[in-house]
């Protein structure tokens, strides 16, 4: 029975995810490196802004940080309560999850990798998808806490499996976006109206989230709003190719897409949204996707 | 005002598409190389099975053949009625459409390239998507006839534009399917449950028609039902790369996918469904997508 | 027995190639669009600068122009001597060679596609490699004239075969150069001394003309001297991918390299040497190959 | 001053490399897992077949094993003489070299990664190329011993640099071989004579060790002699892509080639020579490179 929960890392996602916890639990600790944000969260949602050392005395401790390296650095310094479950919602590295799970097991602490998808809107409306790797018993114990912000919650495998699914998902998104950009550039070069073409594709077998959502809402309206930074996509697609290498598989399209995302990231302006990968193609072809 | 229509080519798609025409037009001619099919269609749907020379006296003449080469070979031999519109629903070659449009223009006949998507079920329920290239005035004149089987009907550009959109759509489908196969193989190699993973992806940014429909309905249930033959997909993706080349663009993912579809087609058993491209990967990795 | 020869197109290559003809033949016509160059050639080498209409009365007519389109445009306007052999040293398009060979055959003229390699130094020293496609008897008749500037002269197949070999050769050069750039960037990122590394590779199995000649003589000394323009390489590699497509083969590395050369060409400064493809990589990686 | 040397691992390469040591040093220990080979070597070349514990008392200890993992496993168990230099001629992993160099430094032992190229013939004639990573002072001290079998000996950088250069060299060889296969298949599909074509390419800018040596001596004569096993090439090209990833570079051709070598290895018969990668393409295209 979960008595207390904590949320570490109140970024764009974490701030909103943590906002749902007080509806289900009496004791909700929050902590953030910039501590003012934690204090503001406490005022806004009735959570408790506490020292990190106190936060990790909760039964379930959520974290949502930029990278696995950040999570590792943090955990190293902490005395976490024995019997606690650490639920890491970072889009992290599978091997890091395995390492942390092993390390914390010795201290009688469970570690679940539990990355989320659904963007800030999903965090706000508590409709995130959560893909979880780790021990089955820990998954079941943590479930009621995860349900505070998650709608589709899946136990996808052992430690690292959650991170793996997230990395592959983001890789598929990157592939689909690059391919759609290539395809639409080609059509425009041949005088085709892109809005009409996209309508047809979105009613046909070639549709994807890239053609249905990303291109219309971020690219063709020329907004490229910064909500998921390109360097983070490059990190995630990098995790996916590392998974391919570790399994000694041949995944040519995944490999090539990583090369393209890498170039996009290396040549993009700072603070670019992931959708800016389209701009790389536009620089090459002098064809604007609009 | 359209008084008569004809449908040439009663394959799996054409047979069903033509079935809707008698609801809207009094005179509906049908013709098929294997003429028994035309006779059966007449009995079943009240159309008229006629000689080809008579069929091409209709106001609007539909064709739905395997390739543009078949359409060209046919048209060469015919005396088509002056003032008619030829609406070619083949998944054809844009440069062939341009050539035929020019050629027929001289004889006062319009040619529209009007490939469809939506599979046999869409043909049956008259809910096909039709992407049309060619003259605007001809498009508007032909529209009432196309509406007999089409739901989303778009005029996407000049001659060839319809074929181009169809080829790019099928290429995107091929890319998305190959990438999804690569991603799922990788996840399975890491011990992830593919059904759970697919549920997560289909609720996330990496989803596509390949992950939502093709993999669950054709691959993971191990049926690979033959409804769209792999050689036809190879033809269509080939048309897409030809469009890239003609426009002198750089489309690395489209190019690589064409190489992969080519290998899949070169090494597949005969009568393989397009979804058999997954089997190529399975042969390489010894990992089954199920 | 060859009595007279002509050389059409006195560019960097043609000017030098034609300079050897007077050593072997009494009557040598030369022609160039900028006719001053022809007159200068006559003064310098004892050739005869003549009208185009006279040049094509020679027994063997050489041409060396930028593209097959230029050759086609020229030939269309001419009344070539019956019984002549046209030897086209352009790096041209195989299908164009086949078309011209057929067309000229009707007028009792042979057409050989005979592209050369060896650069200006090879043209100067009459040590070019000449790869010839076309009729065997015509090849044998033209051979004494080709020997004026060629050292290794090969009859590689029917019409178009010469152009095909040249296009594939240039494609392999492009692949090897791109791969070497990728490999050396990687080594430099890991702190390896590139001069030492290149010495090792050039004594090992990974060596190629790119590592032995192009990188040391054009790139690592940062000269990138304009001797073979990047747009011409892009044209040649484009011919190679068209050959792949026509044969319906899977050639993934050739396809990807074409995409890269296309990007390099689309983003290069004007008047860039082909070796500038390295600069594209340098822009991406911020690693200089020196 | 080197008084004694040892050679560990008497495979096809090591057996021949070690044979030159007695010409330069009085005390030469040899050891091999299958010890009979060591005894045979002693008889044949006047070396001393000794226990591993004694071998590692030499001033310079060479190793030549299949993988870095083998070297690590061996070194873990040993008490190596303080002040010794371990020269590892394995085609190994750069990060492993760095780890071993650090580990042995604590015990006052130097570790040099010193992979070789030149095949068994180079080992026999003491004309190998040796690319060495590690401490400069250690490199200079070890040099006289390396000169026993090496001709071109280069200090290419810090620990791991030697392995890195070897991996990149083998990757370039793989790229060049795959590209040449793609190019020649295409030419053959167009009716070109491959022997003539190869002669032209080998006199032109597209030449590489693949076109000059591997194709004529292993492929076109249909021998595919097993001298460098395909799984070892797959290992080496894998090391190269790992270097790319660690440096966060974009190397699309290297990445794609790794995918192709992986497929070749996954689908090859056991005991296949690396040149069998050509057979993968032949299976796809039904075109034989001969």
């Amino acid at each position: 029975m979960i008595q207390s929960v904590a949320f570490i890392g109140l970024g764009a996602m974490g701030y909103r995810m943590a906002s749902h916890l007080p509806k289900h639990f009496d004791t909700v600790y929050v902590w953030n490196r910039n501590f003012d944000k934690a204090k503001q969260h406490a005022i806004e949602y009735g959570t408790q802004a506490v020292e990190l050392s106190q936060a990790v005395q909760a039964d379930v401790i959520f974290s949502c940080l930029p990278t696995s390296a950040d999570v590792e650095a943090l955990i190293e310094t902490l005395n976490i309560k024995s019997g606690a479950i650490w639920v890491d919602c970072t889009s992290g590295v599978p091997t890091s999850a395995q390492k942390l799970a092993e390390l914390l097991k010795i201290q009688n602490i469970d570690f679940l990798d539990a990355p989320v998808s659904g963007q800030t809107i999903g965090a706000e409306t508590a409709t995130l998808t959560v893909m979880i790797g780790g021990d089955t018993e820990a998954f079941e114990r943590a479930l009621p806490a995860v349900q505070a912000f998650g709608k589709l919650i899946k136990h996808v495998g052992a430690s690292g499996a959650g991170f793996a699914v997230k990395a592959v998902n983001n890789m598929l998104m990157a592939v689909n976006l690059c391919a759609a950009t290539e395809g639409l550039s080609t059509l425009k070069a041949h005088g085709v109206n892109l809005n009409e073409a996209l309508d047809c594709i979105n009613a046909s077998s070639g549709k994807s989230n890239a053609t249905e959502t990303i291109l219309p809402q971020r690219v063709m309206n020329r907004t490229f709003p910064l909500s998921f930074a390109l360097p983070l996509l490059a990190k995630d697609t990098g995790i996916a190719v590392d998974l391919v290498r570790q399994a000694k598989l041949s995944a040519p399209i995944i490999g090539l897409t990583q090369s393209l995302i890498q170039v996009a990231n290396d040549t993009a302006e700072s603070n670019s949204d992931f959708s800016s990968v389209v701009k790389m193609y536009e620089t090459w072809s002098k064809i604007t996707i609009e």
Side-chain angles (χ1 to χ4, degrees), chain A:
Chain A
M1 193 51 193
I2 302 168
Q3 304 290 348
S4 55
V5 298
F7 207 105
I8 293 171
L10 302 170
M13 291 299 286
Y15 198 89
R16 288 163 173 90
M17 289 158 75
S19 75
H20 304 290
L21 296 170
K23 303 170 196 166
H24 305 277
F25 304 98
D26 291 339
T27 306
V28 179
Y29 301 132
V30 294
W31 183 86
N32 195 59
R33 191 173 300 271
N34 171 350
F35 199 66
D36 285 347
K37 258 192 164 173
K39 286 195 251 177
Q40 192 192 326
H41 197 275
I43 292 165
E44 201 169 342
Y45 298 111
T47 51
Q48 304 176 45
V50 300
E51 292 296 302
L52 201 45
S53 55
Q54 188 179 344
V56 298
Q57 302 316 312
D59 295 333
V60 172
I61 305 151
F62 290 101
S63 56
C64 194
L65 299 175
T67 69
S68 277
D70 298 309
V71 178
E72 288 187 26
L74 202 74
I75 283 182
E76 231 170 42
T77 67
L78 296 172
N79 272 313
I80 306 163
K81 185 175 86 165
S82 175
I85 310 176
W86 189 294
V87 181
D88 183 22
C89 299
T90 302
S91 287
V93 179
T95 50
S96 171
Q98 287 150 9
K99 199 174 70 178
L100 287 173
E102 234 175 276
L103 184 84
L104 292 176
K105 197 77 205 161
I106 300 166
Q107 308 167 39
N108 193 35
I109 299 155
D110 281 297
F111 180 92
L112 299 172
D113 47 304
V116 299
S117 82
Q119 302 196 295
T120 49
I121 180 72
E124 211 156 303
T125 56
T127 56
L128 292 172
T129 298
V130 195
M131 37 213 101
I132 301 186
D135 186 72
T136 303
E137 186 271 338
F139 167 79
E140 279 161 10
R141 251 190 321 132
L143 193 55
V146 178
Q147 283 167 332
F149 54 77
K151 190 175 164 202
L152 182 73
I153 302 167
K154 289 280 180 179
H155 184 222
V156 293
S159 260
F163 286 163
V165 172
K166 183 74 198 292
V168 166
N169 175 75
N170 284 10
M171 173 54 91
L172 295 187
M173 187 267 277
V175 172
N176 300 353
L177 178 58
C178 288
T181 303
E182 295 182 4
L184 291 186
S185 309
T186 303
L187 288 175
K188 193 166 178 185
H190 286 274
V192 174
N193 179 306
L194 291 198
N195 285 303
E196 308 289 1
L198 214 45
D199 282 352
C200 292
I201 290 168
N202 284 333
S204 303
S205 59
K207 76 176 169 187
S208 66
N209 180 56
T211 57
E212 292 179 308
T213 307
I214 301 171
L215 287 174
Q217 294 176 9
R218 291 169 180 265
V219 174
M220 295 188 64
N221 61 7
R222 311 309 292 169
T223 57
F224 301 94
L226 175 51
S227 67
F228 176 42
L230 184 50
L232 292 178
L233 176 61
K235 178 205 66 177
D236 291 347
T237 55
I239 294 170
V241 296
D242 289 341
L243 288 168
V244 171
R245 269 292 294 150
Q246 286 154 22
K248 294 200 187 308
L249 292 177
S250 183
I253 292 177
I254 283 181
L256 178 55
T257 301
Q258 167 63 7
S259 293
L260 291 164
I261 297 296
Q262 188 73 51
V263 172
N265 192 33
D266 287 346
T267 56
E269 295 171 26
S270 44
N271 295 317
S272 285
D273 185 59
F274 76 97
S275 55
S276 304
V277 68
V278 174
K279 292 185 186 172
M280 174 186 72
Y281 281 102
E282 293 181 340
T283 304
W284 293 351
S285 65
K286 279 91 187 173
I287 292 172
T288 316
I289 302 297
E290 63 183 337

